Amino acid sequence: MDKDKKMMVFYLFLAALSSPVVTEEWKASVIKELEALVTSCVVVPCSFSHPGGPLPTSRLRGIWHLKTGRNQLVYYEDQTRILENFRGRTKLLGHLGLSNCTLEITKVRDHDNGPFCFRIELAKSTDPSTSNKFSFVEDCVDLRMLPEPPKPTLSHSETATEGRPFTITCSVTHTCPSHAPRLKWSRADPDAVHEVHKKSRFGFWEAESILTITAEEKDDHTDITCTAEFNGDSKSSALMTLYVKRSANYNHIIIATVVAIGTAVIFAGFCIFMVKRYKKRMSRPSRR
Ligand SMILES: *[C@@H]1O[C@H](CO)[C@@H](O)[C@H](O)[C@H]1NC(C)=O
């Protein structure tokens, strides 16, 4: 027990001692796991830090390789050194000069699961004092392949009411912000369609489309479909049935009331008239 405590203190001491050293080193931070839709594209967030402030992009070499080997290049400046089945499909979206090593893979294939690791090299400088200086960091991502695209989700506020604006929101998650999925509605005559793209949890994004229509009586029990068209032509859709509530219409009650009051007034008038006529007749002296 006592020995364990001593060891713990020792380790804490070691950690405290080594942490300032660690921050002085090159560090990469790559998302650990991300989903990728087969046939579509994926953007892998990645950033790195290095000692001695920012360096120009021209002196940095960003490399993405398979975890199984440093020579199995997935991304490199020199395309000819990239593995054949990744050639032309990978791009560094981030600027290395801004410490951004974000990778894009397009036309994702089923076997692109990785793990892919990022490595950075400081190019040999022309300055002899720093020539051959060479640093690297490595951090890897695992891709989880999605054979089918995720379905969009539909949501709406209350029930649609005749003659009133009604909004439906369609949203779908994705991992390719560089070529986000497009959301399409089956309605040919919307009042408005509003598109929003937002960040979800780290590495994931949400495409959203908000449809506004004026609900009509004829829309009752009709279907509305939202289709998500992903980059690479994968599609998925969601459907909802519209139920339209009749607008609270009091006209018929008003008309009935007016008619009833009118009838009563006319009837009362008629009665008074009759009574008066009867009284007149009674008071008239008999001519007989
Ligand atoms: C890195 O670059 C990507 C692509 O341009 C961008 O979307 C992302 O916001 C950048 N990350 C940071 C931390 O700036």
Side-chain angles (χ1 to χ4, degrees):
M1 197 61 182
D2 235 24
K3 198 187 164 196
D4 281 356
K5 264 187 189 165
K6 267 185 194 162
M7 284 305 279
M8 219 170 88
V9 170
F10 177 64
Y11 283 132
L12 279 174
F13 175 69
L14 259 191
L17 205 72
S18 60
S19 61
V21 178
V22 169
T23 53
E24 280 303 297
E25 280 174 4
W26 290 69
K27 253 197 210 166
S29 104
V30 178
I31 189 169
K32 292 288 155 278
E33 205 184 47
L34 193 62
E35 286 176 356
L37 173 61
V38 174
T39 73
S40 187
C41 51
V42 61
V43 172
V44 180
C46 168
S47 63
F48 63 93
S49 60
H50 49 79
L55 286 162
T57 304
S58 56
R59 283 197 57 205
L60 297 166
R61 299 256 183 289
I63 301 162
W64 281 89
H65 63 87
L66 288 176
K67 199 176 190 172
T68 46
R70 285 207 181 140
N71 294 323
Q72 295 179 301
L73 303 184
V74 166
Y75 170 81
Y76 194 65
E77 272 178 354
D78 181 0
Q79 288 271 321
T80 58
R81 288 186 50 194
I82 297 179
L83 289 174
E84 206 173 317
N85 54 8
F86 285 99
R87 217 171 283 164
R89 294 201 293 128
T90 54
K91 198 162 112 187
L92 216 52
L93 288 187
H95 290 285
L96 293 177
L98 297 173
S99 305
N100 190 330
C101 42
T102 300
L103 174 78
E104 180 196 54
I105 305 176
T106 50
K107 301 187 183 81
V108 170
R109 296 173 189 173
D110 189 51
H111 56 253
D112 289 350
N113 55 319
F116 302 115
C117 305
F118 176 70
R119 188 169 128 89
I120 190 155
E121 288 179 356
L122 187 65
K124 284 179 186 174
S125 166
T126 43
D127 178 358
S129 62
T130 53
S131 72
N132 295 325
K133 199 176 168 190
F134 168 76
S135 285
F136 68 84
V137 279
E138 231 173 49
D139 203 19
C140 310
V141 61
D142 259 308
L143 294 186
R144 205 158 65 81
M145 312 316 289
L146 298 181
E148 297 293 332
K151 268 186 176 248
T153 52
L154 288 172
S155 59
H156 57 92
S157 45
E158 9 51 79
T159 334
T161 306
E162 197 186 330
R164 301 255 181 89
F166 180 66
T167 50
I168 312 169
T169 302
C170 176
S171 67
V172 74
T173 56
H174 64 96
T175 55
C176 189
S178 55
H179 302 90
R182 283 184 300 173
L183 295 169
K184 294 199 173 157
W185 294 93
S186 57
R187 279 287 288 224
D189 58 341
D191 289 351
V193 174
H194 180 62
E195 278 182 36
V196 189
H197 292 277
K198 46 188 184 179
K199 270 186 173 167
S200 182
R201 63 208 146 97
F202 188 53
F204 288 80
W205 297 76
E206 206 173 298
E208 198 177 85
S209 179
I210 303 158
L211 174 88
T212 307
I213 57 163
T214 304
E216 287 173 41
E217 196 186 336
K218 69 174 170 59
D219 295 325
D220 197 19
H221 287 83
T222 58
D223 290 337
I224 288 189
T225 312
C226 171
T227 306
E229 292 181 10
F230 291 81
N231 165 268
D233 278 348
S234 257
K235 283 180 198 171
S236 65
S237 57
L239 178 145
M240 70 166 270
T241 305
L242 203 59
Y243 297 103
V244 182
K245 202 166 69 181
R246 293 283 176 85
S247 60
N249 191 340
Y250 296 113
N251 283 354
H252 58 288
I253 299 172
I254 293 167
I255 290 168
T257 311
V258 167
V259 167
I261 292 172
T263 311
V265 167
I266 291 166
F267 185 69
F270 177 73
C271 290
I272 292 165
F273 171 75
M274 287 305 282
V275 167
K276 275 188 178 165
R277 221 173 98 163
Y278 179 70
K279 275 187 182 164
K280 242 187 209 169
R281 194 187 283 173
M282 289 300 284
S283 59
R284 219 182 280 160
S286 174
R287 277 187 197 157
R288 215 180 278 166

